[in-house]
């Protein structure tokens, strides 16, 4: 097969790519998104991180890229979501597309617990105490033992959140359409039973993608179900949350606090009240990034190439 990779990614992983792609022809695209050897048409395309970001930022690069992958039957993406116009355009052009779901599970789960521990240990207040040279001890909850975390969407990210939760001796609840084999789950709920899970959860982590079924699935009724002491963390898509209902829930202290790495729209407009709420922590959709993310993307790509050759099921096939 003729396998197309960006010059940047090839340079970074040259030794491994040459070794694992023995028997295939590696075709490179340059910094303008054009094939370096136009006489060789690729069958497979690896949309690594820098390719994705360049295509989103540079229309000329994107146009060249779309031309380069016209002959491809398989494209491997490096991001989890497939609802964007860019992803849908590619999916419509190729026979098989694989998304990057699971690549970011470790870094996003780390973000989730950084925000949880921020609240449980009241890190913000301790920072203020240090600024004021204040040695007055604080009486805090201090631990997560036996508290319940409810995870909406128990895919790769949700399961990594569950694994870390068990390390903190928490009870783990989750919603998922299909059964899952794991030792890190105390109770699995159907998506239709989301509200029942919310009533019992001290921390609610939204890991849901946006689909017709999940659009604004977290609305006024769901926030009313949650405990007043609960924390809502969104690392799923912003469109899955009714932000007006969330603002109301935070302002009225219907829930205690929220941490949002995704919003709708993005970037979050300056006019959004969420920016000003003291019980809302906002990050600019960067929880997925980590130094090993490109390496994990390459791992998935090479695994799927092997599966493509052997006729096995492609991981994350759309």
């Amino acid at each position: 097969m003729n396998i197309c990779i960006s010059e940047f990614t090839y340079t970074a992983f040259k030794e491994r790519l040459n070794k694992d792609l023995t028997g295939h022809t590696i075709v490179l695209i340059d910094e303008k998104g054009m094939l370096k050897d136009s006489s060789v048409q690729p069958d497979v395309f690896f949309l690594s991180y820098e390719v994705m970001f360049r295509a989103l930022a540079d229309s000329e690069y994107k146009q060249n890229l779309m031309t380069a992958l016209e002959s491809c039957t398989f494209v491997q993406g490096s991001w989890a979501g497939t609802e964007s116009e860019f992803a849908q355009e590619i999916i419509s052009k190729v026979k098989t597309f694989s998304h990057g779901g699971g690549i970011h599970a470790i870094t996003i789960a780390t973000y989730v617990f950084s925000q949880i521990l921020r609240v449980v240990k009241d890190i913000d207040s301790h920072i203020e105490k240090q600024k004021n040279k204040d040695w007055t001890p604080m009486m805090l909850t201090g631990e997560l033992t036996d508290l319940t975390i409810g995870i909406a969407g128990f895919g790769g990210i949700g399961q990594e959140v569950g694994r870390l939760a068990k390390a903190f001796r928490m009870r783990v609840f989750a919603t998922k359409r299909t059964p899952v084999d794991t030792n890190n789950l105390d109770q699995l709920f159907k998506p239709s039973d989301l509200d029942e899970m919310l009533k019992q959860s001290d921390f609610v982590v939204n890991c849901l993608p946006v689909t017709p079924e999940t659009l604004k699935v977290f609305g006024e009724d769901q926030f009313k179900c949650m405990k007043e002491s609960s924390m809502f963390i969104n690392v799923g898509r912003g469109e899955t949350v009714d932000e007006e209902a969330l603002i109301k829930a935070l302002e009225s202290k219907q829930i205690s606090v929220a941490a949002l790495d995704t919003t709708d729209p993005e970037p979050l407009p300056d006019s959004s009240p969420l920016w000003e709420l003291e019980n809302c922590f906002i990050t600019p959709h960067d929880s997925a990034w980590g130094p090993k993310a490109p390496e994990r993307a390459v791992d998935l790509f090479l695994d799927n190439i092997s599966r493509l050759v052997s006729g096995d099921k492609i991981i994350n096939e759309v």
Side-chain angles (χ1 to χ4, degrees):
M1 289 188 297
N2 297 331
I3 300 176
C4 190
I5 304 169
S6 74
E7 281 188 294
F8 181 88
T9 294
Y10 179 70
T11 300
F13 297 95
K14 184 175 182 178
E15 184 176 344
R16 184 176 177 198
L17 290 169
N18 284 340
K19 176 177 177 293
D20 286 25
L21 296 178
T22 299
H24 301 290
T25 299
I26 296 176
V27 186
L28 301 180
I29 57 168
D30 60 23
E31 60 183 14
K32 294 182 179 180
M34 300 178 68
L35 293 171
K36 294 207 73 174
D37 183 354
S38 59
S39 67
V40 181
Q41 296 301 303
D43 306 301
V44 171
F45 209 107
F46 178 35
L47 287 171
S48 49
Y49 281 97
E50 89 287 353
V51 172
M52 177 184 71
F53 287 121
R54 285 185 182 183
L56 292 174
D58 185 336
S59 59
E60 183 178 353
Y61 181 96
K62 179 185 175 183
Q63 184 176 351
N64 292 335
L65 176 69
M66 299 306 286
T67 299
L69 60 74
E70 282 182 351
S71 61
C72 292
T73 56
F74 173 64
V75 172
Q76 175 68 62
S78 299
W79 63 96
T82 59
E83 72 279 0
S84 70
E85 182 180 336
F86 179 47
Q88 286 298 316
E89 187 176 353
I90 295 170
I91 291 169
S92 69
K93 286 181 176 291
V94 299
K95 178 181 177 182
T96 306
F97 180 86
S98 165
H99 64 75
I103 291 173
H104 315 291
I106 291 174
T107 49
I108 293 177
T110 301
Y111 167 86
V112 167
F113 276 90
S114 71
Q115 294 288 15
I116 287 175
L117 293 171
R118 175 183 184 177
V119 170
V120 170
K121 302 302 290 186
D122 201 351
I123 299 301
D124 294 70
S125 293
H126 280 92
I127 291 171
E128 287 303 311
K129 281 181 172 292
Q130 180 177 348
K131 289 178 180 178
N132 298 324
K133 300 179 182 179
D134 181 356
W135 190 261
T136 306
M138 297 176 64
M139 302 301 290
L140 302 168
T141 303
E143 63 177 299
L144 297 172
T145 305
D146 295 330
L147 295 181
T148 299
I149 188 167
I151 305 166
F154 205 56
I157 294 169
Q159 289 179 40
E160 181 64 14
V161 171
R163 186 187 73 81
L164 292 184
K166 277 301 173 186
F168 283 100
R169 301 180 175 87
M170 301 180 76
R171 288 197 306 165
V172 179
F173 293 167
T175 64
K176 197 175 191 295
R177 287 178 295 178
T178 55
V180 59
D181 183 17
T182 176
N183 295 321
N184 299 321
L185 185 62
D186 293 290
Q187 186 171 347
L188 184 66
F189 293 79
K190 296 178 181 177
S192 58
D193 294 328
L194 172 65
D195 290 2
E196 188 58 37
M197 184 185 79
L198 299 181
K199 293 174 184 177
Q200 304 178 60
S201 300
D202 299 292
F203 302 90
V204 175
V205 183
N206 177 27
C207 300
L208 294 171
V210 61
T211 67
E213 292 75 28
T214 63
L215 192 64
K216 294 190 177 181
V217 70
F218 281 95
E220 185 174 353
D221 290 343
Q222 285 63 50
F223 292 120
K224 283 181 178 178
C225 283
M226 293 168 61
K227 299 178 181 181
E228 289 186 1
S229 59
S230 66
M231 179 180 191
F232 176 70
I233 303 167
N234 190 16
V235 290
R237 292 303 184 203
E239 295 90 340
T240 62
V241 178
D242 181 340
E243 288 188 357
E244 291 301 319
L246 175 59
I247 291 167
K248 181 179 177 181
L250 289 168
E251 288 178 335
S252 64
K253 302 299 174 65
Q254 200 167 62
I255 64 173
S256 176
V257 61
L260 310 176
D261 189 52
T262 57
T263 61
D264 178 30
E266 292 183 359
L268 184 64
D270 292 349
S271 59
S272 173
L274 291 169
W275 286 113
E276 307 296 333
L277 293 175
E278 292 185 357
N279 57 343
C280 184
F281 308 137
I282 296 171
T283 49
H285 203 157
D286 59 4
S287 67
W289 175 248
K292 290 187 176 295
E295 181 180 338
R296 294 187 183 107
V298 170
D299 289 343
L300 175 61
F301 170 59
L302 292 175
D303 190 352
N304 271 338
I305 289 295
S306 177
R307 290 168 178 269
L308 194 66
V309 171
S310 62
D312 293 335
K313 181 177 175 58
I314 298 295
I315 298 172
N316 294 340
E317 181 176 350
V318 176

